[in-house]
Amino acid sequence: MVPVISTPYAFNEEDLYVDLRSIFGHSLFLKCEGFNFAGSIKLKAATEMVEAAERDGILTPESILVESSSGNLGVALSMIAASKGYRFLCVTDSRGNLSNRMMMEALGSQVHVITEQEAGCGFLGARLDYLRALCASDDRYVWLSQYTNPSNWKAHYRTTAPEVARQFPRLDVLFIGAGTTGTLMGCARYFRGWHRPVRIIAVDSVGSVSFGGSPGRRMIPGLGMSMRPPLLDESYVDEVILVEEADTIRACHRLARRGFLFGGSTGTVISGATDWLARHDARELTAVAVGPDLGERYLDTIYQTNWLQDLYGEDVLESAKETADSWAAAPPPAAR
């Protein structure tokens, strides 16, 4: 049945998967979460948080929604706010993609860009401090706080995890990117009580401190945190994989040469997943990775030659091109 909708958040393609075997040589199914009007998995959390705030009476017609976001959640909230008639202010920082800021502004939202990091807490700490001061100045501001809001993980407990379970009843291992850890915690909680054990593997960026790693430079927005995520409960996570941004870039370019343009968060998850599969006997495993975003918003960053060269140097730029070109030239393996 063809869907007919009256609000942009009513549509989300839930059951689209890409078999990555022909590209990476490992049996891995990618759940594509970018096919909605917000362009990313963040639509689920945004919808759940807004509707919970409405049910609780926190949001009123006079309210002004505010949130900290590196981009994708900001776009999702901008879309929902425009549809519902709320004003929305997104607080982001200078690492965010220009296309995300332009999309938010096109949807009628205001965007405030933080340009200075806070000592010890990075850009995120500065963004949160700005929001605290803002909310203290006017009680019309309603901060959904994706970092602490339980509706963030409940959205994926209610939607993402059951969607995977329905499609893969013999699931063995699930790879999930870690940002706020909403997707990770929602899926992990769901599969903890499932009919068979599922290995939950969190994929994070090198330089993120979410799982106790050393802080470092991170230029690709989406995954990773400069503080421990308040939603995170590591008892639900079986293993953590850290991915270098150079490997994220290589994975994205490799996929693009096969016609799949995915975003940085998706490239990170795929890189971590294929690395794990290469180190394990995965021939009999059913493995799924959750791909949070598509690649159009990264055209001026991870797919842009000057950006790559300026931030990562010639070595990463050339290795990304060589990896992509070598895979583009090779014929795909025969279907199994």
Side-chain angles (χ1 to χ4, degrees):
M1 180 180 293
V2 176
V4 177
I5 63 173
S6 57
T7 60
Y9 52 89
F11 173 76
N12 193 21
E13 177 54 62
E14 299 174 343
D15 293 316
L16 179 63
Y17 295 82
V18 176
D19 185 348
L20 297 176
R21 185 196 304 270
S22 65
I23 302 176
F24 291 95
H26 302 290
S27 180
L28 176 66
F29 297 94
L30 179 71
K31 187 179 194 307
C32 301
E33 288 282 354
F35 290 97
N36 55 58
F37 283 97
S40 79
I41 197 171
K42 289 294 188 177
L43 176 61
K44 291 176 172 177
T47 303
E48 191 87 11
M49 290 190 295
V50 168
E51 292 183 347
E54 290 175 330
R55 289 193 302 269
D56 295 340
I58 298 171
L59 274 176
T60 70
E62 292 74 34
S63 297
I64 304 171
L65 278 170
V66 294
E67 186 55 88
S68 162
S69 171
S70 60
N72 284 337
L73 182 75
V75 172
L77 285 173
S78 294
M79 187 188 76
I80 294 170
S83 178
K84 289 178 173 285
Y86 295 117
R87 293 167 61 189
F88 174 55
L89 167 65
C90 181
V91 180
T92 187
D93 62 62
S94 53
R95 297 172 304 170
N97 294 336
L98 177 61
S99 57
N100 276 331
R101 290 182 235 166
M102 294 175 67
M103 288 185 70
M104 287 186 273
E105 290 171 345
L107 289 163
S109 298
Q110 290 181 283
V111 181
H112 179 79
V113 181
I114 299 293
T115 58
E116 298 293 332
Q117 300 188 49
E118 182 177 296
C121 297
F123 282 114
L124 178 57
R127 278 156 45 183
L128 299 184
D129 280 350
Y130 181 88
L131 279 168
R132 291 187 191 101
L134 189 69
C135 291
S137 70
D138 191 330
D139 59 11
R140 291 178 301 165
Y141 290 114
V142 175
W143 181 10
L144 296 174
S145 186
Q146 64 165 323
Y147 309 104
T148 60
N149 194 325
S151 292
N152 187 343
W153 68 260
K154 288 178 181 178
H156 302 286
Y157 185 94
R158 187 176 61 82
T159 61
T160 308
E163 291 158 12
V164 174
R166 181 174 63 246
Q167 189 73 24
F168 297 94
R170 303 296 296 175
L171 179 68
D172 293 300
V173 57
L174 183 62
F175 299 93
I176 309 169
T180 65
T181 68
T183 308
L184 175 63
M185 288 292 96
C187 291
R189 283 187 167 94
Y190 180 91
F191 283 111
R192 175 64 63 88
W194 208 38
H195 69 89
R196 60 183 277 121
V198 175
R199 190 166 187 83
I200 301 295
I201 300 182
V203 183
D204 198 8
S205 301
V206 170
S208 167
V209 305
S210 296
F211 296 92
S214 299
R217 186 187 76 162
R218 291 180 294 111
M219 299 305 299
I220 300 176
L223 301 185
M225 293 272 280
S226 55
M227 67 179 190
R228 179 178 173 83
L231 295 176
L232 176 62
D233 183 343
E234 289 190 62
S235 69
Y236 287 93
V237 179
D238 295 298
E239 192 171 341
V240 178
I241 297 174
L242 297 179
V243 175
E244 295 276 2
E245 288 192 333
D247 292 323
T248 293
I249 292 163
R250 292 184 186 101
C252 287
H253 281 251
R254 187 160 158 181
L255 285 157
R257 290 303 191 273
R258 285 294 175 86
F260 292 107
L261 196 70
F262 285 112
S265 296
T266 299
T268 302
V269 174
I270 292 173
S271 179
T274 54
D275 174 70
W276 188 92
L277 293 169
R279 293 184 284 105
H280 293 78
D281 184 1
R283 288 171 293 180
E284 304 300 323
L285 294 181
T286 298
V288 173
V290 177
D293 55 0
L294 301 180
E296 292 92 337
R297 297 175 194 173
Y298 295 83
L299 292 177
D300 57 351
T301 54
I302 60 178
Y303 295 106
Q304 212 278 332
T305 298
N306 290 338
W307 187 86
L308 291 176
Q309 188 173 25
D310 290 345
L311 289 176
Y312 301 97
E314 289 288 345
D315 290 345
V316 169
L317 177 63
E318 292 304 318
S319 66
K321 288 181 177 179
E322 289 171 3
T323 299
D325 291 343
S326 65
W327 278 85
R336 294 180 60 177

